[in-house]
Amino acid sequence: MSNLGTIATDRRTLLAGGAAAALFTPGLALAASGDLPAIRKAAEAGYAASVKRIQDWIALPSIAAENLDMEKGADYMAALAKDAGFQHVEKVATEGAPGVFATLDVGAKRWMGIYFMYDVKQYDPAEWSSPPLEARIVDKPGFGKVIVGRGAVNQKGPQAAFLAGLHAIHAAGKTSPVNLVLICEGEEEIGSPHFRQIVTKPHILAALKKCEGVIIPAGWQSPSDGGVTVNLGAKGIVELELVASGAKWGRGPKTDIHSSEKARVDSPAWRLVQALTTLVTPDGNNPAIDNYFEKVRPLTPREKELIALAGKQLSEADAKKALGVEHFIDDLPWEKTLERLASQPTVNIEGLVSGYTGPGGKTVLPGRAVAKMDLRLVPNMTAEDSVAKLRAHLDKRGFADIEVNVSGGYDPTETDENSRLIKAELATYKRNKVPTTIYPRLAGSWPGAVFTSAPVSLPAGQFGLGHGSGAHAPNEYYVIESSNPKVQGLVGSTMSYVDFLYEIAAAK
Amino acid sequence: MSNLGTIATDRRTLLAGGAAAALFTPGLALAASGDLPAIRKAAEAGYAASVKRIQDWIALPSIAAENLDMEKGADYMAALAKDAGFQHVEKVATEGAPGVFATLDVGAKRWMGIYFMYDVKQYDPAEWSSPPLEARIVDKPGFGKVIVGRGAVNQKGPQAAFLAGLHAIHAAGKTSPVNLVLICEGEEEIGSPHFRQIVTKPHILAALKKCEGVIIPAGWQSPSDGGVTVNLGAKGIVELELVASGAKWGRGPKTDIHSSEKARVDSPAWRLVQALTTLVTPDGNNPAIDNYFEKVRPLTPREKELIALAGKQLSEADAKKALGVEHFIDDLPWEKTLERLASQPTVNIEGLVSGYTGPGGKTVLPGRAVAKMDLRLVPNMTAEDSVAKLRAHLDKRGFADIEVNVSGGYDPTETDENSRLIKAELATYKRNKVPTTIYPRLAGSWPGAVFTSAPVSLPAGQFGLGHGSGAHAPNEYYVIESSNPKVQGLVGSTMSYVDFLYEIAAAK
């Protein structure tokens, strides 16, 4: 979840008040089936094994950006799926890292899709309070017992909680209430560049087509009230580097030269700055790429209604505190900031790198300057079209030499509020007295468009109880034993997936 | 010589043809004194000790930017001075790293000032072919035996060659033809922020005031023809960081936050880009800071004449090749580029740093963005006034929150072509058949203004035969045994200083 991260978590963090999440209350279908007591007992009995499953998985980090242990990671993922009862488990080759496709066909009426990733973000052990691959169990005040490690919440913890549900069902001598399709990639953290190659393999596509939808397990309960946001989609994203260089430009130096030469030699760094300036309005807050808004679909009345509702539930003061900002842009009213978050495409600088970047200065005229950028996209923009517009914009202004190196991205994704998937999510949360905010569009991004757009064309979204945080950051954690009655630990999270599967099986 | 580096070397590299430097020919004064054979013999006999002196010195790197071994470096410098015969040697405390002041009073008629630095630039051993502190002796094809190490040419090699001259004079049983004032600092590589505190101490200033001028030892003979450029001054410089941050701005985040928040949160990185854009013309080639050119003195007819002469001596094609550029700005004619190099103040980006700077991308909205800049100044601009103009320019445009953090700098420096110092340099070079180009102003910078401006007010400039390169870069080297008959090795370099001192003593 390279681009979901803080947003969803932080937004929920901000939920004001709301009812407390009580003890876990199983869905009618689960309760009615009589399966509940046995499954819960099995989940509790399997707790130690479930914890160890997370820890062992964290010990094997697959990092796509470094091409580290990708085959091993896929093999491990496949073994986890087999172990959880999937009958058909298949490693799927791509032009990049392999994926995994698995099915569990119990002859149920309905099929459900599950999306996993086995890769994790890079980490610097020096920044961690405990070694990021040791997955130590630590007491975290206010949260309870947590696993600290790279991938703890993003995504191995929640994914392992889902698998623990299947183990518990099996251990209780029961059968999954729905058939399952597990679809897994190892390049989520680099923008899923080959994920479409996996889902469009004919037999995989055929399996997916049978599903009600696809969920990605999530551990995003708010520590303040246990609440969860149900996003009806997410913005798309393009990650790219803009590169100005003497080598491509044919002017300026090809390497860093002595800065005194600026008197007579062109500067790729200045060129990058000049090009960047044209991409946004002078306040830096609105895209100014030619025709960038051409395909933007305005918010619907229902989306505005949902945002207005969310605005009442969420606290502006808490949001500012969580983000560490004193003002939103233009000092907009709270609800307007929520509208922009859902509806505004962005052109963001993630990083700037040129010349000398160490402490103090160094008298060089750099031969190369790079802006790391992300573009956030709303319906009906597409990643491909947005990159083409950026390219055309630069070309038109004489910046044809500035490279646009796209490293990854996906289109915006949308899922119907009235789909069985969303209804089952809401029903499960409601029954468990989890405060829920429906938000039209996650401002972050995830490869959901691979599922929601053709040819797969399914509802897709995050689901899950439980809590963790620190995706991409040091000391990433996932709660396994919650000291907060509003937030579920590992067993509660496990049971939320079980409940959801029963709900999907029984839902109208 | 943080800012002299490539310019001077490269410019000389480009000298077309010219007479070959023959065997070392001592000045009339030196030859007439009858001291020559004995001193040369002593310099040759001391070769091994001189080489070891450079190597031992390199083994102790003092790095002002990291406050590394500054006291040790000053103590070492003081010991070197004592060892070379200076009678009074004194460590001089400043608000930063200490300097060293030493005098050698032999009762001669004239005094000469020598400027040393004991600090070196940072280095990354991983980038070096041999460990940068081991100062290994390596065969460098086309050059001969060279010492490879940090500080080899910048400045320990040439400085040690000067000291070797004093050792040789002493070993030959002779006496220095002039009295000497050695003035040394340890913060040259960070812009000499406390050097004025040293030279303005009353007894040091009084000693300097007796001198004919101040030289900084240099090893800048061109490998192509052994030629040397005599610069009649140098541009000034200000090194600074422009910093845009949420913390100072009061808008945007104080740390890096998730990039999806760009939809509603201001971006310090975009703010920096917008501010930068205003500092130069759209092509990035001319300063656009308000009133920046107010105090600029145009080139004099004599300066233009010298540049025209240099333009005929120097090869445009070779210059482009050495710099790795295909075009100069605006495709200006060669002589115009030399005029700009001498006369044009600059606003240069040394480096850009913001947010995520590693491989690939990371979806953050950075809380801080930094542009490392240098401003090059020509007479009669001053560092202080230029910074004030930059500040006023930013303030006027609403960028009062953008920090201007000056790390160092000095004013431009000028030395009269008719001073005894320059005349003695030219005479020494000429006698040794070293092709010489007189250039009005080095485009690089050095703290010469500390000497040329009040209260010291002396002629000052680089002098020396010998060759090295790679200042600030990996594999910095200094030639100790030259395989190129046009270029002097360590003994030849040593003798050039001896000859120069005799020349100063005898000059009219």
Side-chain angles (χ1 to χ4, degrees):
Chain A
M1 282 201 256
S2 54
N3 307 303
L4 287 166
T6 53
I7 273 305
T9 318
D10 289 341
R11 285 204 59 259
R12 278 309 312 177
T13 307
L14 320 173
L15 246 186
L23 284 179
F24 190 83
T25 313
L28 292 179
L30 177 52
S33 74
D35 293 355
L36 167 69
I39 297 175
R40 170 164 276 275
K41 209 171 154 188
E44 281 164 359
Y47 173 76
S50 299
V51 169
K52 187 165 185 302
R53 196 175 293 119
I54 301 174
Q55 291 178 306
D56 289 349
W57 201 357
I58 288 173
L60 176 68
S62 300
I63 299 178
E66 298 171 359
N67 196 24
L68 175 73
D69 285 342
M70 302 315 293
E71 293 293 336
K72 267 193 206 170
D75 290 340
Y76 199 91
M77 178 70 250
L80 283 171
K82 257 179 207 146
D83 195 39
F86 284 87
Q87 303 139 333
H88 171 86
V89 179
E90 179 190 347
K91 215 167 125 181
V92 185
T94 73
E95 287 171 20
V100 173
F101 165 63
T103 52
L104 173 64
D105 184 352
V106 296
K109 186 178 66 176
R110 291 189 179 141
W111 288 76
M112 187 65 212
I114 318 293
Y115 166 78
F116 273 23
M117 54 189 271
Y118 66 82
D119 62 322
V120 296
K121 200 77 181 175
Q122 302 99 302
Y123 52 86
D124 177 358
E127 298 174 345
W128 288 62
S129 60
S130 64
L133 302 186
E134 280 191 15
R136 284 193 195 160
I137 296 170
V138 171
D139 270 310
K140 191 174 171 74
F143 293 85
K145 282 202 196 320
V146 306
I147 291 179
V148 176
R150 174 50 85 230
V153 66
N154 175 205
Q155 273 283 73
K156 290 173 174 175
Q159 291 173 172
F162 181 89
L163 295 177
L166 302 186
H167 282 278
I169 291 170
H170 181 74
K174 312 296 179 189
T175 306
S176 172
V178 291
N179 309 311
L180 296 173
V181 171
L182 176 66
I183 188 100
C184 178
E185 69 162 319
E187 299 185 320
E188 203 277 348
E189 295 293 4
I190 58 168
S192 306
H194 303 103
F195 191 35
R196 247 173 226 282
Q197 294 179 7
I198 300 172
V199 301
T200 54
K201 291 214 187 282
H203 67 296
I204 297 177
L205 181 57
L208 278 170
K209 283 294 218 180
K210 293 187 277 185
C211 295
E212 295 298 319
V214 179
I215 59 161
I216 173 171
W220 292 351
Q221 276 193 284
S222 161
S224 64
D225 65 356
V228 172
T229 296
V230 173
N231 295 293
L232 302 176
K235 285 184 179 173
I237 188 170
V238 178
E239 280 195 85
L240 59 87
E241 288 188 346
L242 288 187
V243 183
S245 69
K248 278 272 174 187
W249 189 12
R251 308 194 73 91
K254 291 178 185 63
T255 57
D256 296 359
I257 64 171
H258 197 267
S259 69
S260 58
E261 290 289 338
K262 183 67 210 86
R264 61 176 179 179
V265 174
D266 296 280
S267 163
W270 277 123
R271 185 159 180 81
L272 180 70
V273 166
Q274 300 290 356
L276 283 172
T277 306
T278 70
L279 301 181
V280 292
T281 49
D283 58 7
N285 287 333
N286 292 293
I289 297 170
D290 296 339
N291 309 311
Y292 199 63
F293 288 84
E294 186 183 37
K295 300 193 177 182
V296 171
R297 169 177 71 63
L299 289 172
T300 63
R302 173 58 180 162
E303 286 172 332
K304 286 191 177 171
E305 190 180 12
L306 287 171
I307 291 168
L309 271 167
K312 290 186 182 75
Q313 289 178 289
L314 303 172
S315 150
E316 177 173 8
D318 288 355
K320 284 179 171 169
K321 194 176 159 202
L323 293 168
V325 302
E326 291 163 23
H327 301 269
F328 287 116
I329 61 174
D330 300 330
D331 295 310
L332 289 174
W334 177 229
E335 194 179 312
K336 281 284 165 204
T337 73
L338 292 172
E339 275 191 15
R340 281 185 62 99
L341 207 53
S343 67
Q344 176 75 3
T346 63
V347 176
N348 175 59
I349 295 176
E350 297 180 347
L352 294 171
V353 195
S354 181
Y356 177 70
T357 59
K362 187 173 175 185
T363 49
V364 295
L365 193 179
R368 194 165 184 271
V370 179
K372 294 170 184 284
M373 317 275 303
D374 58 48
L375 318 178
R376 301 276 174 180
L377 315 176
V378 300
N380 298 314
M381 301 169 84
T382 66
E384 193 182 347
D385 182 61
S386 302
V387 172
K389 285 184 160 65
L390 171 61
R391 180 72 271 165
H393 173 99
L394 292 171
D395 290 352
K396 188 180 165 189
R397 284 160 183 78
F399 294 116
D401 55 289
I402 293 189
E403 295 169 76
V404 177
N405 297 332
V406 176
S407 59
Y410 10 86
D411 295 338
T413 173
E414 293 192 280
T415 281
D416 189 340
E417 190 182 354
N418 298 309
S419 63
R420 192 171 281 143
L421 178 82
I422 298 297
K423 282 171 147 179
E425 288 193 3
L426 291 171
T428 308
Y429 288 142
K430 187 175 179 188
R431 215 168 37 243
N432 287 285
K433 300 193 174 57
V434 172
T436 307
T437 304
I438 306 176
Y439 197 65
R441 185 173 303 119
L442 181 70
S445 308
W446 73 292
V450 172
F451 301 117
T452 59
S453 67
V456 182
S457 307
L458 290 177
Q462 296 78 41
F463 176 81
L465 295 182
H467 173 77
S469 192
H472 299 189
N475 304 326
E476 179 180 353
Y477 68 92
Y478 183 63
V479 176
I480 54 172
E481 214 180 295
S482 179
S483 62
N484 178 347
K486 297 174 182 175
V487 171
Q488 298 294 333
L490 179 54
V491 171
S493 172
T494 297
M495 289 308 292
S496 75
Y497 296 111
V498 173
D499 193 13
F500 174 76
L501 295 182
Y502 275 84
E503 182 68 38
I504 280 284
K508 283 176 190 168
Chain B
M1 282 201 256
S2 54
N3 306 303
L4 287 166
T6 54
I7 272 306
T9 318
D10 289 340
R11 284 202 61 259
R12 279 307 313 176
T13 307
L14 320 172
L15 247 186
L23 284 179
F24 190 85
T25 313
L28 293 179
L30 176 52
S33 74
D35 293 354
L36 168 69
I39 297 175
R40 170 164 277 275
K41 210 172 153 188
E44 282 163 358
Y47 173 76
S50 299
V51 169
K52 188 165 185 301
R53 195 175 294 120
I54 300 174
Q55 291 178 306
D56 290 348
W57 201 358
I58 287 173
L60 175 69
S62 300
I63 299 179
E66 298 171 357
N67 196 24
L68 175 72
D69 285 342
M70 303 316 294
E71 293 293 336
K72 267 193 208 170
D75 289 338
Y76 200 90
M77 178 69 251
L80 283 171
K82 257 179 208 146
D83 195 40
F86 284 88
Q87 303 139 332
H88 171 87
V89 179
E90 178 190 346
K91 215 166 124 182
V92 185
T94 73
E95 287 170 21
V100 173
F101 165 63
T103 52
L104 173 65
D105 185 351
V106 295
K109 186 178 67 177
R110 291 191 178 139
W111 287 76
M112 186 65 213
I114 318 292
Y115 166 77
F116 274 21
M117 55 188 270
Y118 66 82
D119 62 321
V120 296
K121 200 75 180 176
Q122 302 98 307
Y123 52 86
D124 177 358
E127 298 174 345
W128 288 62
S129 59
S130 65
L133 302 186
E134 280 191 16
R136 285 194 195 159
I137 297 170
V138 170
D139 270 310
K140 192 175 171 73
F143 293 86
K145 283 202 196 318
V146 307
I147 291 179
V148 176
R150 174 50 85 230
V153 66
N154 177 203
Q155 271 289 80
K156 290 174 174 175
Q159 291 173 172
F162 181 89
L163 294 177
L166 302 187
H167 281 278
I169 291 170
H170 181 73
K174 312 296 180 190
T175 306
S176 171
V178 291
N179 310 312
L180 295 173
V181 171
L182 175 67
I183 188 101
C184 179
E185 68 162 319
E187 299 185 319
E188 203 276 348
E189 295 293 4
I190 57 168
S192 307
H194 304 103
F195 191 35
R196 244 173 229 284
Q197 293 179 7
I198 300 173
V199 299
T200 54
K201 289 212 187 286
H203 67 297
I204 298 178
L205 181 58
L208 279 169
K209 283 293 217 182
K210 292 187 275 185
C211 295
E212 296 298 318
V214 180
I215 59 161
I216 173 170
W220 291 352
Q221 276 194 284
S222 161
S224 64
D225 65 355
V228 172
T229 295
V230 173
N231 295 292
L232 301 176
K235 285 184 180 172
I237 187 171
V238 178
E239 280 195 85
L240 58 89
E241 288 188 348
L242 288 187
V243 183
S245 68
K248 277 273 176 186
W249 189 12
R251 309 194 73 90
K254 292 180 183 61
T255 57
D256 295 359
I257 64 172
H258 197 266
S259 68
S260 58
E261 290 289 339
K262 183 67 210 88
R264 62 175 177 179
V265 174
D266 298 279
S267 162
W270 277 124
R271 185 160 181 80
L272 180 70
V273 166
Q274 299 291 356
L276 283 172
T277 307
T278 70
L279 300 182
V280 292
T281 49
D283 59 7
N285 288 332
N286 292 292
I289 297 170
D290 296 339
N291 308 313
Y292 199 62
F293 288 83
E294 186 182 39
K295 300 192 176 181
V296 172
R297 169 177 71 64
L299 289 173
T300 64
R302 173 60 180 161
E303 286 171 333
K304 286 191 177 173
E305 188 180 13
L306 288 171
I307 291 168
L309 270 168
K312 289 185 183 76
Q313 287 177 288
L314 303 172
S315 150
E316 178 173 9
D318 288 355
K320 285 179 170 168
K321 195 176 159 203
L323 292 168
V325 302
E326 290 162 24
H327 301 269
F328 288 115
I329 61 174
D330 300 330
D331 295 310
L332 289 173
W334 177 228
E335 195 179 311
K336 281 284 166 204
T337 73
L338 293 172
E339 273 190 15
R340 279 186 64 99
L341 207 53
S343 67
Q344 176 75 3
T346 62
V347 176
N348 176 59
I349 295 176
E350 297 180 348
L352 293 171
V353 195
S354 180
Y356 178 70
T357 58
K362 187 173 176 186
T363 49
V364 294
L365 192 180
R368 194 165 184 272
V370 178
K372 294 170 186 285
M373 317 277 302
D374 57 49
L375 318 178
R376 300 276 175 180
L377 315 176
V378 300
N380 298 316
M381 300 170 84
T382 66
E384 192 181 348
D385 182 61
S386 302
V387 172
K389 286 184 160 63
L390 171 61
R391 181 72 271 167
H393 173 99
L394 292 171
D395 290 351
K396 188 180 165 190
R397 284 159 183 79
F399 293 117
D401 55 289
I402 293 189
E403 295 169 75
V404 177
N405 297 333
V406 176
S407 58
Y410 10 87
D411 295 338
T413 172
E414 293 191 278
T415 282
D416 189 339
E417 190 182 353
N418 298 310
S419 63
R420 191 170 283 144
L421 178 82
I422 298 297
K423 283 172 149 178
E425 287 192 4
L426 292 171
T428 309
Y429 288 142
K430 189 174 180 191
R431 214 169 37 242
N432 287 285
K433 301 194 175 51
V434 172
T436 307
T437 303
I438 305 176
Y439 197 65
R441 185 174 303 120
L442 181 69
S445 308
W446 73 292
V450 173
F451 301 116
T452 59
S453 67
V456 183
S457 307
L458 289 177
Q462 297 77 42
F463 176 80
L465 295 182
H467 173 77
S469 192
H472 300 191
N475 305 326
E476 179 180 352
Y477 69 92
Y478 183 64
V479 176
I480 54 171
E481 215 180 295
S482 179
S483 63
N484 178 346
K486 297 175 180 173
V487 171
Q488 297 294 333
L490 179 53
V491 171
S493 173
T494 296
M495 290 308 292
S496 75
Y497 296 111
V498 173
D499 193 13
F500 175 76
L501 295 182
Y502 275 84
E503 181 67 39
I504 280 284
K508 280 176 191 166

